[in-house]
Amino acid sequence: MSKQEISTSVIRRLPRYHRFLAELAAKGTVRISSKELSRQMGMTASQIRQDLNCFGGFGQQGYGYNVRGLYDEIGQILGVSAHRRTILIGMGDLGRAIASHVSYAECGCELIGLFDSNPFVAGRDLKGMPIHHTDTLPGFCHQERPELAILCVPEHAASGVAQQLVDLNVRAFWNFSHGDLHFDDPAILVENVHLTDSLLTLTYGLGHDSADDPAESIKL
Amino acid sequence: MSKQEISTSVIRRLPRYHRFLAELAAKGTVRISSKELSRQMGMTASQIRQDLNCFGGFGQQGYGYNVRGLYDEIGQILGVSAHRRTILIGMGDLGRAIASHVSYAECGCELIGLFDSNPFVAGRDLKGMPIHHTDTLPGFCHQERPELAILCVPEHAASGVAQQLVDLNVRAFWNFSHGDLHFDDPAILVENVHLTDSLLTLTYGLGHDSADDPAESIKL
């Protein structure tokens, strides 16, 4: 693939394409037109063509996209075969849920360590995986070299833990703690997860009943 | 406010503005320019001006935005004072985490019932809130009239539970089950949560080191 610039907003849409194509492939769909894909994904066909053209000629005019080929190619671009070594800090309800609920292998990650600062939690295990005390992070990181950390710690602890991990060469953070993490160093990647943004979209929708108005845009 | 059309993409950005403005207000910021807001939010100033102009003249040329006023107004548009009656189905790790971790009141919701189909889970409580058996949903819904349901059930159960709840007049779903929910009726609102989309963005970023290239766009 030639070196080309891809905007971050296109990158952010790739996981969604990847999911849709996986579902289509699972249903046995071999080819799909941008028009049909747009209908199913709720996007415009021109947006889809524009996004996918960033990565070279996937579609053939009049033939649509090869579902499996496009799925594989987008997976390769995202790096789903990468096995990024990943640790999770904070084994409360949320940490346990994130540890068990996410298909790490499908996201190019491998969960290699669970940590908690509570001595009554450290020493236990989650589905056979031992939970270590956070005091052991330096030794663990030197030996196992995780690249990515998932933070499920309380808000007041998040930036301290994150800075410690940056010093231990962790380069990416999936942050579930309340309050955003931010690093001035652009080489440190952060995804601050805001679960409630989508709940607020529902709250908005319930207050602005679209049943009265089937138009795509929402009326105030 | 005059009746005007607001695109769904603007609506989807409102929770993010709301969060940022809350943080600014907490820090004591009284006014902020679109330029400074854009720097902090990582958006263009023209995008911000365009979004906020949808809701009338918040900003005054040369004076910036009144932080508290804009926060209150966006909160009112989203409906954060609405107390939408909300139930949560599925009290596994994820359901417990979502029940405890989310600030429902700040999202215009009130969590009024927890449910699980496992008789060993139903009858217990979570932080003082009783967990009911899903068999009791019809009676509960007739009496308490929830509008919104959070689904943390296994994928194979999600569409069945959702259809039952639609028949019981639930109109909105915050779906954490794997696999997307979809209703043909546009009056039924669904937010399918895809936690891993943001993890995949990190996986992508780790494979395309931006430290080599400080430009805003990511190079392949």
Side-chain angles (χ1 to χ4, degrees):
Chain A
M1 186 176 302
S2 67
K3 191 165 183 172
Q4 51 185 310
E5 293 197 9
I6 308 292
S7 78
T8 49
S9 51
V10 176
I11 301 302
R12 291 199 169 281
R13 284 193 288 271
L14 288 185
R16 193 153 167 251
Y17 286 117
H18 198 246
R19 268 192 282 115
F20 259 83
L21 291 162
E23 282 171 32
L24 288 171
K27 282 184 216 159
T29 309
V30 175
R31 301 195 76 85
I32 190 164
S33 65
S34 53
K35 192 176 164 191
E36 179 55 21
L37 193 57
S38 78
R39 196 191 61 77
Q40 292 192 24
M41 293 187 68
M43 297 166 68
T44 66
S46 74
Q47 172 84 81
I48 289 178
R49 284 194 297 268
Q50 201 178 315
D51 283 355
L52 299 183
N53 278 344
C54 292
F55 304 102
F58 286 127
Q60 223 179 322
Q61 191 74 40
Y63 285 86
Y65 296 104
N66 175 316
V67 169
R68 184 72 214 187
L70 188 53
Y71 171 78
D72 288 343
E73 186 72 16
I74 292 178
Q76 198 186 321
I77 292 164
L78 287 169
V80 297
S81 316
H83 303 288
R84 301 284 170 193
R85 294 168 76 74
T86 300
I87 56 177
L88 191 154
I89 327 284
M91 295 301 296
D93 278 332
L94 188 66
R96 286 202 307 278
I98 299 302
S100 348
H101 189 74
V102 172
S103 305
Y104 290 96
E106 289 176 19
C107 295
C109 297
E110 187 186 353
L111 193 57
I112 60 164
L114 306 175
F115 294 85
D116 201 279
S117 64
N118 183 336
F120 296 103
V121 175
R124 294 191 197 173
D125 73 275
L126 183 83
K127 298 182 181 170
M129 201 168 173
I131 301 172
H132 307 286
H133 195 279
T134 43
D135 284 351
T136 66
L137 272 170
F140 185 94
C141 291
H142 283 128
Q143 191 162 342
E144 302 292 342
R145 305 205 168 276
E147 292 182 274
L148 199 158
I150 306 166
L151 300 184
C152 298
V153 299
E155 183 171 1
H156 67 85
S159 64
V161 172
Q163 188 55 57
Q164 180 192 14
L165 291 169
V166 165
D167 296 340
L168 293 165
N169 295 318
V170 170
R171 298 192 298 136
F173 294 91
W174 200 25
N175 178 36
F176 285 86
S177 306
H178 287 295
D180 282 5
L181 270 187
H182 175 76
F183 290 95
D184 288 330
D185 180 351
I188 308 298
L189 310 175
V190 181
E191 285 290 323
N192 294 301
V193 179
H194 296 287
L195 289 176
T196 52
D197 283 9
S198 57
L199 179 57
L200 275 167
T201 307
L202 287 176
T203 304
Y204 173 88
L206 284 170
H208 300 83
D209 199 336
S210 62
D212 302 337
D213 173 23
E216 257 190 72
S217 57
I218 296 167
K219 288 199 180 212
L220 287 180
Chain B
M1 186 178 303
S2 67
K3 190 165 183 172
Q4 51 184 310
E5 293 198 10
I6 308 292
S7 79
T8 49
S9 50
V10 176
I11 300 303
R12 291 198 170 279
R13 285 194 287 271
L14 289 185
R16 194 152 167 253
Y17 286 117
H18 198 246
R19 267 192 283 115
F20 258 84
L21 291 162
E23 283 172 31
L24 288 171
K27 283 184 215 157
T29 309
V30 175
R31 301 195 78 85
I32 191 165
S33 66
S34 53
K35 193 176 164 193
E36 178 56 21
L37 193 57
S38 77
R39 195 190 62 77
Q40 293 191 22
M41 294 187 67
M43 298 168 66
T44 66
S46 74
Q47 172 84 83
I48 289 178
R49 282 193 298 267
Q50 203 179 314
D51 283 355
L52 299 182
N53 278 346
C54 292
F55 303 103
F58 285 126
Q60 223 179 321
Q61 191 75 39
Y63 286 85
Y65 296 105
N66 176 316
V67 169
R68 184 73 215 186
L70 188 53
Y71 170 80
D72 288 343
E73 186 72 17
I74 291 178
Q76 198 186 321
I77 292 163
L78 286 168
V80 297
S81 316
H83 304 287
R84 300 285 169 192
R85 294 168 76 74
T86 301
I87 57 177
L88 190 153
I89 327 286
M91 295 302 295
D93 277 333
L94 188 67
R96 287 203 306 279
I98 299 301
S100 347
H101 189 77
V102 171
S103 305
Y104 290 96
E106 289 176 19
C107 296
C109 296
E110 188 185 353
L111 192 58
I112 60 165
L114 306 175
F115 294 85
D116 201 279
S117 64
N118 182 335
F120 296 103
V121 174
R124 296 191 197 173
D125 73 276
L126 183 83
K127 297 183 181 170
M129 202 167 171
I131 300 172
H132 307 287
H133 196 278
T134 43
D135 283 352
T136 66
L137 272 169
F140 185 94
C141 291
H142 282 128
Q143 190 161 343
E144 303 292 341
R145 305 205 168 276
E147 292 181 275
L148 199 158
I150 305 166
L151 300 184
C152 298
V153 300
E155 182 170 1
H156 67 87
S159 65
V161 173
Q163 188 55 57
Q164 180 192 14
L165 290 169
V166 166
D167 296 340
L168 293 165
N169 294 318
V170 171
R171 298 192 296 137
F173 293 91
W174 199 24
N175 178 35
F176 284 85
S177 306
H178 287 295
D180 282 6
L181 271 186
H182 175 77
F183 290 95
D184 287 331
D185 180 351
I188 307 297
L189 309 176
V190 180
E191 284 290 322
N192 294 301
V193 179
H194 297 287
L195 289 177
T196 52
D197 283 9
S198 57
L199 179 57
L200 275 167
T201 307
L202 287 177
T203 303
Y204 173 87
L206 283 170
H208 300 82
D209 200 336
S210 62
D212 301 337
D213 172 23
E216 258 189 72
S217 59
I218 295 168
K219 289 198 179 212
L220 285 181

